[in-house]
Amino acid sequence: MAIAPSLSWRQPLGYLGKISLPWRVTIGYLAWMLVLPIVALFGKAITAQPSEFWRIATSPIALSAYEVTFVTALGSALVNGLFGTLIAWVLVRYSFPGKRLIDAIVDLPFALPTAVAGLTLATVYSPKGWIGGLLAPFGVKIAFTRVGVAIAMLFISLPFVVRTVQPVLSEMERELEEAAWSLGASKIQTFLRVTLPPLLPAILTGVALGFSRAVGEYGSTVMIASNTPFKDLIAPVLIFQQLEQYNIVGATVIGTVLLLISFVLLLLINLLQAWGRRYAN
């Protein structure tokens, strides 16, 4: 009777032994790097009573922070979807002096520490900065407003669209466009019916990556925003403020809501990517 339970425990180990080593390493690494922190976050958040969880998650300041974070991040990702595609197009289709330098500058947000990026943007867009100083006489203020948050998100998410679209555009056959032109299609018709369909999945992937990066951004936005509740306070900064007040449960509850909303939005973007692949085919 004592042998049966030991065999049942050995069965999963037996299945695990049949899995190849790369698969075991992949599963173990993903579990360690991704699953474990998420489980720890949920584990800490559910220590709050359901009523307390709901009160923290739906407090007016939290709802405002969600709105500022997700709407601004989505808008920034969509804007970069347009301009990032245009930049990739210019880098692939045109030859000009300084092309390699501009190509390298696109990666600057990857390498620049986010705090340095925030300091630089705040300097440029502050009322006494190069651009902010020009707009200040007209009553336009960028730094320390929600527009400043959008500028920071645009800055850090731009490379994701450019670097995702660029290789697809490089591999695209120009002969297809030339054939469309020879058949009488205009440049706009050629772009919409020949060039755009295979580019669309890459553009949506870049937008999704840029959106994810913008939602989690902290270092640059905290320096260019005034971090005022109900104005330009983003959710990551609110979480940090909760931690400064030693409200660990409050921080984890807001972090959990942030994670769930991000997951749902990324799922929707993935569905759009699947539609884009079908549209391309």
Side-chain angles (χ1 to χ4, degrees), residues 200-201 204-205 208 263-279:
L200 199 54
L204 290 174
T205 301
F263 179 76
V264 171
L265 289 176
L266 288 175
L267 185 63
L268 292 175
I269 292 175
N270 281 333
L271 292 175
L272 278 176
Q273 287 177 312
W275 170 82
R277 283 192 288 271
R278 286 197 299 272
Y279 176 66

Side-chain angles (χ1 to χ4, degrees), residues 43-123:
K44 189 65 180 179
I46 61 175
T47 57
Q49 296 293 326
S51 59
E52 181 67 7
F53 186 101
W54 181 255
R55 186 190 66 78
I56 297 172
T58 60
S59 63
I61 190 173
L63 293 176
S64 172
Y66 302 147
E67 190 271 333
V68 172
T69 303
F70 286 105
V71 173
T72 311
L74 186 60
S76 302
L78 292 174
V79 170
N80 272 337
L82 174 64
F83 288 98
T85 303
L86 178 63
I87 293 171
W89 182 279
V90 170
L91 290 175
V92 171
R93 293 296 177 91
Y94 294 90
S95 297
F96 52 90
K99 179 178 176 179
R100 289 189 177 182
L101 177 63
I102 294 177
D103 195 30
I105 288 175
V106 169
D107 290 331
L108 193 61
F110 281 144
L112 199 65
T114 56
V116 178
L119 183 62
T120 305
L121 293 173
T123 302

